[in-house]
Amino acid sequence: KARVVLIVFGAAFALAASMILLRLAEAGDRFGLALQLMEQNRGDEAAVLLDDPLWRGVAEYQSGRYRRAAEAFSGAEDVMSLYNLGNAHAQLGAWDEARRAYQAALRLEPEHDDATFNLDLVTQAKELEEELAEAARKVRQSAKTGAATDAINKKGKTATEDPDGGSRRSVGDAEAGDDVSQSSGEASQ
């Protein structure tokens, strides 16, 4: 019974707290409340309160929703937003989009060290991804070729094996000096 009471009390407390937060947000300081939530690593809750797309992008990024963050940053043209757009794309593994965003940020502020560093990282990541894709392609091709070779070898092996476990030679396998009988089609030894 005590557990049930604690669970019910906890749920009621959470509901009351969320209602208070909504009332505070409606009362005026939605941005301040959103910042407090972000400081507590509660970006998903903060994003709901933010009207400004750039701040909403920061909250979405913090909560790990990188696609939403990229959407929020995509219309901006300031250095920080372009840099954040690059970060969101990098988190998604969209290397080309990340590179374009970092390059745009660097056109506006050539000395932006973080954008320069991240541009180098995503360039290396893309190159590595391409190398891995090529290696995987070669492995698949090799596996296909190897499977075909194995099948050919297996077929060839079964054609020359004797059912009793020994090996047979066909007429084409006869060595010089062997007596080959035309009627049976087999070499006599």
Side-chain angles (χ1 to χ4, degrees):
K1 273 187 162 181
R3 283 188 183 170
V4 172
V5 171
L6 285 174
I7 291 171
V8 170
F9 179 73
F13 179 76
L15 180 62
S18 65
M19 291 176 73
I20 290 171
L21 288 175
L22 284 175
R23 285 201 178 133
L24 285 173
E26 290 170 2
D29 194 19
R30 291 168 52 118
F31 182 73
L33 179 59
L35 288 179
Q36 288 176 0
L37 290 170
M38 288 185 353
E39 287 174 3
Q40 298 168 6
N41 289 322
R42 295 167 57 188
D44 52 337
E45 296 172 60
V48 175
L49 298 173
L50 293 164
D51 294 323
D52 183 285
L54 303 180
W55 277 104
R56 191 170 42 254
V58 171
E60 297 288 9
Y61 187 93
Q62 184 188 47
S63 64
R65 296 187 294 214
Y66 305 117
R67 190 165 314 285
R68 288 183 182 183
E71 290 170 5
F73 295 128
S74 66
E77 296 179 9
D78 63 288
V79 173
M80 248 357 253
S81 296
L82 290 167
Y83 171 75
N84 288 334
L85 176 62
N87 289 344
H89 282 306
Q91 289 291 342
L92 293 168
W95 311 127
D96 290 333
E97 292 86 350
R99 265 189 17 213
R100 282 192 291 272
Y102 292 135
Q103 288 169 340
L106 288 167
R107 278 192 295 276
L108 295 175
E109 188 180 317
E111 301 302 316
H112 195 293
D113 292 335
D114 291 337
T116 301
F117 181 80
N118 288 0
L119 176 60
D120 290 340
L121 280 180
V122 298
T123 301
Q124 291 172 16
K126 181 177 180 174
E127 290 170 359
L128 180 60
E129 185 176 74
E130 289 171 351
E131 289 173 16
L132 290 173
E134 178 62 20
R137 188 194 64 72
K138 287 180 180 178
V139 166
R140 283 191 303 276
Q141 185 62 36
S142 175
K144 287 179 185 177
T145 304
T149 303
D150 290 346
I152 291 168
N153 289 339
K154 186 175 182 181
K155 188 173 184 179
K157 183 176 181 183
T158 57
T160 59
E161 283 182 351
D162 187 355
D164 297 325
S167 63
R168 296 185 306 189
R169 290 190 315 199
S170 64
V171 174
D173 293 335
E175 295 177 12
D178 284 343
D179 179 21
V180 179
S181 167
Q182 295 292 328
S183 61
S184 69
E186 293 185 16
S188 61
Q189 298 180 2

